Amino acid sequence: MEDGTSSNPQSIGFTEKLKSWLSWSWTYICAVWFAMVLTMIYVLRSPLKLQDTLTSGELIFEWWYFRKYGTSFIEQVSVSHLRPLLGGVESSTTTGLFSSVNGEAEPRPSVSECKVWRNPLNLFRGAEYSRYTWVTGKEPLTYYDMNLSAQDHQTFFTGDTQQLKTEDTVMQKAWRERNPQARIRAAYQAIEMNHECAAAYVLLAEEEATTITEAERLFKQALRSGKREQRVQDQITTGKDINLLVYIKRRLAMCARKLGRIKEAVKMMRDLMKEFPLLGMLNIHENLLEALLELQAYADVQAVLAKYDDISLPKSATICYTSALLKARAVSEKFSPEAASRRGLSTAEMNAVEAIHRAVEFNPHVPKYLLEMKSLILPPEHILKRGDSEAVAYAFFHLQHWKRAEGALNLLHCTWEGTFRIIPYPLEKGHLFYPYPGCTETADRELLPSFHEVSVYPKKELPFFILFTAGLCSFTAMLAMLTHQFPELMGVFAKAFFSTLFAPLGFFADKMESFMPSSFWHQLTRI
């Protein structure tokens, strides 16, 4: 009996030690529990629409801060605190430069250092964009994109404002109209004033024609009116007349391409480039490259690339990816990743891989569209080079050419991600091109419709440790605030929580004591 009674205090002491150890380790158990809660929130982020809720909260706070202080909170923090830390300097001007189709710079304060180009393969509004709207109910063009086109047409087709005719004044107002029907009515009004108003027929071909055939008929009428108004083509001297003539002939070539008369379209494009060699900024060679690829005239494509894929000329996704396509086509049919890993890459395969790496470095958004990892939309009327808008425009017209080259997409799939191992840090240092610009996301969001998920490169993601630390601090602050406001209620909640948490452990400890002999703990402590 004495041994039994003497062992009871020892067993009770072990139980107290066990409970004290469990109380000491509750911090780590809470950390595990908090991590599980975060994991559950992450898994349920889509059903609960947490991102939309946070975005709405951010917008409400931004609106309140702007109403109270008259400035944006994000802009204020960036300028006052982040820029000095990052070594930034104030620029001499706050306006960025956007290039219209005539190459002149236009101020745009919201997107700095980004140059927007006219899409050389842009679709027809009436015959293609409007049909998409009728079927889906979605607007494929943004107001910003259409406003840039209006500025281009106004500058291109009306010329000097001091020498405007009456119909030119009407057309100048027509390009600025936001309502398509108002633009069409203004075009008919200009035709009533002058039956030879070529710019009015251009507007009708672009916006009123519901088929490519009808658009081609109106463009031919515009071409005849332009020539008849000038009487003789050799007497065309003004910039307005040249611009209008080049635009009409180019659109006629695009109509022929869309209607299947590809050889005729190629001839028209070659004649246009030969007649106006100084208008290289219009990128007519990109229309020619696409038509030649449709004809599978790869030797002619290589000849065009040899002329325009020059270090002194601005690059484009069409130039870089078409060059990669030609080199990939030469080896892709027999290419096998397993065989290449065993024997190594041949010289031709190495050239093809390097060409793909070069193209991906120039525009890293294109491969996901070519490999159909992202859904395509109708291309915008303006594109940002190296941006998502250019990737959409290129893939929309050239995906079929990559599919036609057997094995080319397989080679692209196996090698394109290797480009990012070559570039140490894209925002600071490039490999073959200048560092990737940081303004593309903002400009692409203005050019592409809201229903399209803009591709962002490089993705700005915070490390998990920072997110976990921020969440833990927020949770601790919330507990502290609740404890301060409702001390009694939080005390009851804490007791209930810990009693529930430790109930299984206490039950397990009691069972262990009942199963084991009373002298076991005494003998264990003596050892």
Side-chain angles (χ1 to χ4, degrees):
M1 289 294 293
E2 291 180 3
D3 293 338
T5 54
S6 63
S7 62
N8 286 336
Q10 293 178 358
S11 61
I12 295 174
F14 175 79
T15 304
E16 293 297 326
K17 289 181 180 179
L18 180 61
K19 290 183 177 179
S20 63
W21 179 80
L22 292 175
S23 300
W24 173 77
S25 61
W26 74 271
T27 305
Y28 301 99
I29 297 175
C30 288
V32 174
W33 173 79
F34 185 70
M36 293 173 62
V37 171
L38 287 180
T39 304
M40 186 64 66
I41 292 175
Y42 178 78
V43 171
L44 298 176
R45 68 189 188 282
S46 297
L48 296 177
K49 299 182 179 180
L50 295 179
Q51 186 174 1
D52 296 342
T53 305
L54 291 175
T55 303
S56 301
E58 292 173 0
L59 292 175
I60 293 172
F61 174 78
E62 182 73 12
W63 172 82
W64 171 82
Y65 192 90
F66 183 83
R67 287 291 300 271
K68 186 176 180 64
Y69 300 101
T71 183
S72 169
F73 174 79
I74 299 175
E75 182 182 0
Q76 183 70 20
V77 171
S78 301
V79 173
S80 303
H81 302 286
L82 296 183
R83 179 172 290 185
L85 294 177
L86 298 176
V89 294
E90 293 289 342
S91 58
S92 58
T93 177
T94 59
T95 59
L97 295 180
F98 280 76
S99 173
S100 63
V101 74
N102 60 356
E104 295 180 357
E106 297 177 357
R108 177 70 181 174
S110 62
V111 187
S112 60
E113 302 177 5
C114 286
K115 194 173 184 180
V116 175
W117 300 75
R118 182 83 175 179
N119 182 6
L121 294 169
N122 66 306
L123 304 177
F124 294 86
R125 284 193 188 176
E128 291 171 308
Y129 288 121
S130 294
R131 293 169 70 90
Y132 177 84
T133 304
W134 296 338
V135 173
T136 64
K138 298 179 180 178
E139 289 291 343
L141 297 176
T142 64
Y143 172 70
Y144 172 62
D145 190 16
M146 292 189 290
N147 187 47
L148 286 178
S149 298
Q151 294 177 17
D152 295 339
H153 294 153
Q154 187 177 347
T155 305
F156 238 44
F157 303 150
T158 56
D160 189 2
T161 56
Q162 295 180 353
Q163 301 177 356
L164 288 181
K165 300 178 182 178
T166 308
E167 62 271 16
D168 292 335
T169 304
V170 173
M171 288 305 302
Q172 204 173 37
K173 295 180 180 178
W175 297 120
R176 292 197 296 263
E177 290 286 350
R178 294 188 62 174
N179 188 351
Q181 295 303 319
R183 291 194 292 269
I184 293 173
R185 287 195 299 269
Y188 278 115
Q189 182 181 353
I191 292 175
E192 290 178 1
M193 296 178 179
N194 182 4
H195 292 288
E196 307 300 336
C197 182
Y201 289 110
V202 168
L203 189 147
L204 294 177
E206 290 285 353
E207 306 217 12
E208 188 185 38
T210 57
T211 63
I212 300 298
T213 303
E214 186 179 355
E216 184 182 36
R217 179 184 64 80
L218 288 169
F219 275 119
K220 288 181 178 179
Q221 177 63 40
L223 184 61
R224 287 193 298 269
S225 299
K227 290 181 178 180
R228 197 178 300 124
E229 188 177 5
Q230 294 298 327
R231 296 181 181 177
V232 181
Q233 185 175 346
D234 296 339
Q235 293 181 1
I236 298 178
T237 56
T238 64
K240 165 200 165 184
D241 298 328
I242 294 177
N243 294 338
L244 190 59
L245 178 64
V246 171
Y247 184 89
I248 293 172
K249 288 187 174 182
R250 180 183 192 167
R251 294 303 259 178
L252 282 172
M254 294 176 68
C255 289
R257 162 67 183 92
K258 293 176 183 293
L259 294 173
R261 306 194 307 269
I262 305 175
K263 291 185 178 179
E264 178 186 345
V266 168
K267 182 180 183 303
M268 294 173 69
M269 293 173 191
R270 289 188 185 277
D271 292 342
L272 194 57
M273 293 168 63
K274 188 181 298 183
E275 186 177 359
F276 302 100
L278 299 179
L279 295 180
M281 59 186 169
L282 297 178
N283 297 323
I284 303 176
H285 58 274
E286 295 193 11
N287 299 81
L288 179 61
L289 283 173
E290 196 279 327
L292 291 173
L293 285 172
E294 182 65 23
L295 289 175
Q296 301 185 44
Y298 297 110
D300 293 336
V301 172
Q302 186 61 56
V304 176
L305 287 177
K307 182 178 180 181
Y308 289 96
D309 192 5
D310 187 81
I311 192 172
S312 61
L313 297 176
K315 297 291 184 292
S316 67
T318 301
I319 293 292
C320 295
Y321 278 91
T322 302
S323 177
L325 173 60
L326 293 188
K327 293 180 180 179
R329 176 181 166 273
V331 299
S332 60
E333 188 173 353
K334 299 180 180 179
F335 177 79
S336 171
E338 295 78 10
S341 61
R342 289 195 304 268
R343 59 173 170 77
L345 295 175
S346 63
T347 303
E349 290 174 340
M350 184 63 72
N351 291 336
V353 171
E354 289 178 353
I356 289 175
H357 287 175
R358 171 178 178 259
V360 174
E361 182 184 352
F362 181 82
N363 194 317
H365 309 285
V366 173
K368 288 188 177 181
Y369 293 107
L370 293 180
L371 298 173
E372 298 182 90
M373 300 166 64
K374 263 180 81 71
S375 58
L376 272 174
I377 60 171
L378 295 186
E381 293 183 338
H382 289 80
I383 59 174
L384 179 69
K385 289 192 175 182
R386 307 187 74 177
D388 190 36
S389 52
E390 184 190 35
V392 169
Y394 173 80
F396 184 86
F397 294 100
H398 289 263
L399 176 59
Q400 56 181 334
H401 306 314
W402 279 83
K403 287 184 175 181
R404 188 180 294 122
E406 186 176 354
L409 288 175
N410 178 46
L411 180 59
L412 177 67
H413 174 73
C414 296
T415 57
W416 75 278
E417 290 182 329
T419 308
F420 307 119
R421 292 192 291 269
I422 302 175
I423 308 172
Y425 188 64
L427 289 180
E428 296 180 357
K429 186 178 181 182
H431 181 60
L432 297 175
F433 300 100
Y434 288 109
Y436 191 80
C439 61
T440 55
E441 179 184 358
T442 306
D444 281 331
R445 291 191 187 280
E446 293 197 34
L447 291 171
L448 295 171
S450 58
F451 59 83
H452 173 70
E453 183 181 355
V454 175
S455 177
V456 180
Y457 174 81
K459 288 190 174 180
K460 306 172 184 65
E461 296 181 350
L462 291 174
F464 175 75
F465 176 75
I466 295 179
L467 295 176
F468 176 76
T469 305
L472 184 60
C473 292
S474 302
F475 180 72
T476 306
M478 183 183 67
L479 285 181
M481 182 184 68
L482 292 175
T483 304
H484 178 74
Q485 294 291 332
F486 313 101
E488 296 180 359
L489 184 61
M490 289 301 294
V492 174
F493 174 77
K495 289 180 182 179
F497 172 76
F498 286 117
S499 62
T500 305
L501 182 65
F502 294 133
L505 296 175
F507 176 79
F508 179 75
D510 293 339
K511 288 295 183 183
M512 289 290 293
E513 290 182 3
S514 62
F515 281 117
M516 290 185 178
S518 58
S519 61
F520 176 76
W521 301 114
H522 175 66
Q523 297 295 332
L524 189 62
T525 54
R526 291 183 63 183
I527 294 175

